[in-house]
Amino acid sequence: MKSSLITRGGHDKLVAELQHLWHEERPEITKKVNWAASLGDRSENADYQYNKQLLRKIDRRVRYLGKRLEELRIIDFSPEQEGKVYFGAWVDIENDDGEQKTLRIVGVDEIYDHHPQHISIDSPMARALLGKSVDDEAVVQTPSGAKHWYIVDIRYEKFENSAN
């Protein structure tokens, strides 16, 4: 079961996507479907079939987002998090070979945009980093064995109007 945590920024993106689909994209495609349907024989009408399929895809995403947004719990920065890795943290890490990475621990719903630095709270890397401080070692179990990473820096995005 995937976690229901999300950052405020991630939540805002999903809300914006839902609004765009519902108020802009869906009405536009509905017009196209109605226009194509008015042309007659729907079985031979590629415009009708394509746009009808697109409309079903939009409706599935709208239903999913509507349900998922109700389940999600927004996690805002809290001063108690300062200095340790928790949900929403940007973490700079380095291994013994000098390889460096900057990662952000986010909810599974925030991975959809394939941001190269976002990792899911449910990932082995995130689990190894959680609760650690700067200079701590995080051991990540991978298929090729344990990987050792050292925490170089931790920071959080702080939203001004996060009290809802």
Side-chain angles (χ1 to χ4, degrees):
M1 185 171 155
K2 58 185 173 181
S3 70
S4 61
L5 305 180
I6 193 165
T7 63
R8 181 157 305 277
H11 184 268
D12 292 349
K13 278 185 181 177
L14 291 181
V15 168
E17 179 188 357
L18 178 59
Q19 295 300 318
H20 173 76
L21 288 172
W22 188 249
H23 294 291
E24 294 174 39
E25 209 166 318
R26 190 178 192 288
E28 182 182 318
I29 299 301
T30 301
K31 284 180 196 170
K32 290 180 182 178
V33 166
N34 290 337
W35 170 80
S38 73
L39 298 177
D41 186 6
R42 295 176 188 171
S43 64
E44 299 287 325
N45 188 329
D47 269 338
Y48 175 81
Q49 291 175 356
Y50 172 77
N51 286 301
K52 191 71 174 166
Q53 182 179 7
L54 194 53
L55 192 58
R56 282 194 293 271
K57 183 179 173 188
I58 291 169
D59 285 346
R60 272 195 304 276
R61 183 71 178 160
V62 164
R63 276 192 307 276
Y64 171 79
L65 288 172
K67 287 180 185 173
R68 189 67 179 145
L69 284 166
E70 289 176 8
E71 299 168 353
L72 292 172
R73 196 173 100 213
I74 299 170
I75 304 296
D76 284 319
F77 171 77
S78 165
E80 295 85 43
Q81 292 174 269
E82 204 66 63
K84 291 208 180 269
V85 178
Y86 292 109
F87 185 82
W90 282 99
V91 186
D92 295 333
I93 56 175
E94 185 173 345
N95 65 17
D96 290 328
D97 299 328
E99 183 183 355
Q100 298 177 344
K101 293 183 183 214
T102 298
L103 304 170
R104 184 170 190 213
I105 300 173
V106 297
V108 68
D109 296 276
E110 297 174 85
I111 302 298
Y112 71 89
D113 60 2
H114 304 293
H115 191 291
Q117 294 175 308
H118 286 180
I119 61 171
S120 167
I121 183 82
D122 300 325
S123 70
M125 176 67 88
R127 293 202 181 283
L129 293 170
L130 288 173
K132 301 276 195 279
S133 302
V134 171
D135 294 330
D136 283 354
E137 178 183 25
V139 180
V140 182
Q141 297 302 326
T142 70
S144 60
K147 302 286 183 197
H148 299 262
W149 292 90
Y150 302 92
I151 298 173
V152 177
D153 189 37
I154 304 164
R155 58 198 175 284
Y156 290 89
E157 289 180 9
K158 298 164 182 125
F159 286 87
E160 296 301 317
N161 297 328
S162 57
N164 280 7

